[in-house]
């Protein structure tokens, strides 16, 4: 087995893609990782739309070009749109909390699982939280009331990169043992 911390350290937000298409088998592996992500009450409040059609990929990229950001996603090989689905909680819990109470955490876990599997397969990924929801929904023929979580660009990095240390807060600043 590989070292998970090594994989986590290697994963980064890719901002330079080669433009090469991503094999569907690799995308399926990424989605399988998402499917296996933890989920409160096993509610699995996610759906995924995978765009690997060469004619649609550039159109999805254009949907992410908002507020002067995300232009670099134009050369991504595919996109995975993470949709928030209705969470079904256990009746004992559902009577006390909104059904979507834990959905964002579940969606984050599934999204990160996609990115970590992609990294293990030699692919780069980048979250795009800024995108034109109406334009994307129309392009992909999604219901008007669909809840979106984010768009994940997936592709082959434009070049080999050196793994550089992540700039993160020190552990002692964010953890307290009691």
């Amino acid at each position: 087995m590989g070292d998970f911390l090594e994989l986590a350290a290697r994963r980064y937000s890719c901002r330079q893609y080669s433009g090469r298409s991503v094999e569907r088998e690799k995308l399926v592996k990424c989605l399988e990782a998402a499917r296996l992500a933890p989920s409160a009450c096993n509610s699995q409040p996610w759906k995924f739309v995978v765009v690997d059609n060469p004619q649609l990929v550039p159109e999805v990229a254009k949907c992410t070009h908002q507020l002067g950001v995300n232009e670099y996603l134009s050369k991504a090989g595919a996109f995975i749109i993470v949709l928030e689905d209705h969470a079904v909680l256990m009746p004992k819990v559902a009577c006390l909390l909104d059904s979507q109470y834990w959905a964002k955490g579940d969606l984050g876990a599934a999204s990160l699982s996609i990115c970590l599997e992609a990294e293990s397969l030699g692919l780069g990924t980048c979250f795009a939280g800024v995108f034109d929801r109406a334009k994307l929904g129309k392009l992909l023929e999604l219901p008007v009331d669909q809840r979106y979580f984010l768009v994940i660009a997936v592709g082959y990095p434009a070049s080999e990169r050196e793994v550089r240390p992540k700039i993160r807060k020190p552990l002692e600043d964010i953890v307290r043992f009691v």
Side-chain angles (χ1 to χ4, degrees):
M1 286 232 149
D3 184 338
F4 180 78
L5 285 179
E6 183 181 304
L7 177 64
R10 233 179 35 237
R11 192 232 41 94
Y12 72 108
S13 296
C14 183
R15 290 187 170 83
Q16 292 184 324
Y17 295 94
S18 70
R20 179 177 155 198
S21 295
V22 178
E23 299 86 347
R24 188 163 281 182
E25 300 78 34
K26 289 187 176 183
L27 293 168
V28 168
K29 284 186 175 186
C30 293
L31 294 162
E32 183 65 18
R35 189 182 72 81
L36 297 172
S39 174
C41 297
N42 200 27
S43 63
Q44 305 172 58
W46 46 62
K47 290 251 188 319
F48 306 96
V49 176
V50 181
V51 180
D52 62 351
N53 176 317
Q55 283 73 46
L56 283 178
V57 167
E59 297 304 312
V60 171
K62 287 179 192 171
C63 292
T64 70
H65 300 170
Q66 300 289 301
L67 306 173
V69 298
N70 298 333
E71 296 287 331
Y72 53 85
L73 299 181
S74 294
K75 288 196 171 188
F79 289 92
I80 299 173
I81 294 81
V82 182
L83 304 174
E84 182 176 341
D85 200 18
H86 180 73
V88 178
L89 301 179
M90 298 180 308
K92 199 185 280 190
V93 176
C95 70
L96 299 173
L97 299 170
D98 178 287
S99 67
Q100 300 307 101
Y101 186 78
W102 289 293
K104 298 292 190 227
D106 291 356
L107 291 162
S111 299
L112 181 58
S113 295
I114 288 169
C115 295
L116 290 169
E117 180 62 20
E119 179 66 35
S120 78
L121 296 170
L123 299 169
T125 58
C126 189
F127 285 178
V130 175
F131 52 92
D132 185 326
R133 285 157 171 73
K135 188 175 171 184
L136 186 64
K138 186 174 181 180
L139 178 68
L140 301 177
E141 300 177 4
L142 296 170
V144 176
D145 61 346
Q146 177 63 60
R147 287 181 172 187
Y148 297 84
F149 186 63
L150 53 82
V151 173
I152 303 175
V154 184
Y156 285 94
S159 61
E160 288 292 318
R161 72 170 186 96
E162 186 178 317
V163 177
R164 59 177 197 239
K166 294 186 185 295
I167 299 169
R168 298 291 190 263
K169 294 176 183 177
L171 202 58
E172 58 271 8
D173 288 356
I174 61 170
V175 176
R176 179 175 161 238
F177 287 95
V178 292

